[in-house]
Structures are given as C-alpha cells and as structure tokens.
Amino acid sequence: MNDHDEIFERVAEQIEPFNKKGVALSANTTFAGDLEWDSLTVMDFVAAVEDEFDILITMNMQADIDTIGQLVDTIATLKKPN
C-alpha cells in the first residue's frame, strides 16, 4: 500500500461518521455535491482530519479542496518533512 492509498483509507475512516447517506467513496467524491455536507459538517470533519494526521489545513487550502482526492494530495504534501 503506497502513501496515497494509506492516507485515503484513513480519510475514509474519518468520513464514515459524517457519511449519513452511505455514499461510496472514491478520489472523485465531492464533499458538497456527493456527500451533501454543510459548512458546519466540513468544519467538524476538517478538525478530525487535522487531529488524525497532526496537520493544519488553512482556510485558503480548504477553499481549494472539493474532492477526497484533492484532500489526500493536500495531506500528503503537508505530511512531507521540510
């Protein structure tokens, strides 16, 4: 399992409690469209992801993340040592 696959699996685990409609998850799944999340749900989810990966996702970054795949890419970038 590569890094992206592992991150995707961990993100999917974090999504599960928020996935009220039981949407099948893929890299192309959108948070607003497919999962139908409101801004409060997004905030709760982002906090859970930040805790899970020990990272900080800024509001500017959040504005550019529409899909699970984009989130996985962002996490992979933030986790890389400087």
Side-chain angles (χ1 to χ4, degrees):
M1 181 180 289
N2 69 31
D3 240 16
H4 267 70
D5 291 342
E6 179 184 333
I7 293 170
F8 180 89
E9 290 301 319
R10 290 173 63 188
V11 167
E13 289 173 11
Q14 295 301 314
I15 289 173
E16 196 56 42
F18 300 99
N19 190 359
K20 304 296 185 203
K21 297 191 179 274
V23 174
L25 304 179
S26 75
N28 295 321
T29 302
T30 61
F31 297 106
D34 296 325
L35 294 170
E36 299 179 8
W37 288 359
D38 60 21
S39 58
L40 184 58
T41 303
V42 169
M43 286 175 34
D44 288 344
F45 172 70
V46 168
V49 167
E50 288 175 333
D51 288 347
E52 172 71 17
F53 291 96
D54 194 27
I55 58 173
L56 178 63
I57 301 172
T58 66
M59 293 298 279
N60 287 342
M61 289 176 183
Q62 289 178 41
D64 293 332
I65 299 172
D66 296 316
T67 67
I68 293 174
Q70 290 171 329
L71 176 60
V72 169
D73 291 342
T74 300
I75 293 168
T77 300
L78 291 172
K79 283 183 50 142
K80 288 182 182 170
N82 295 338

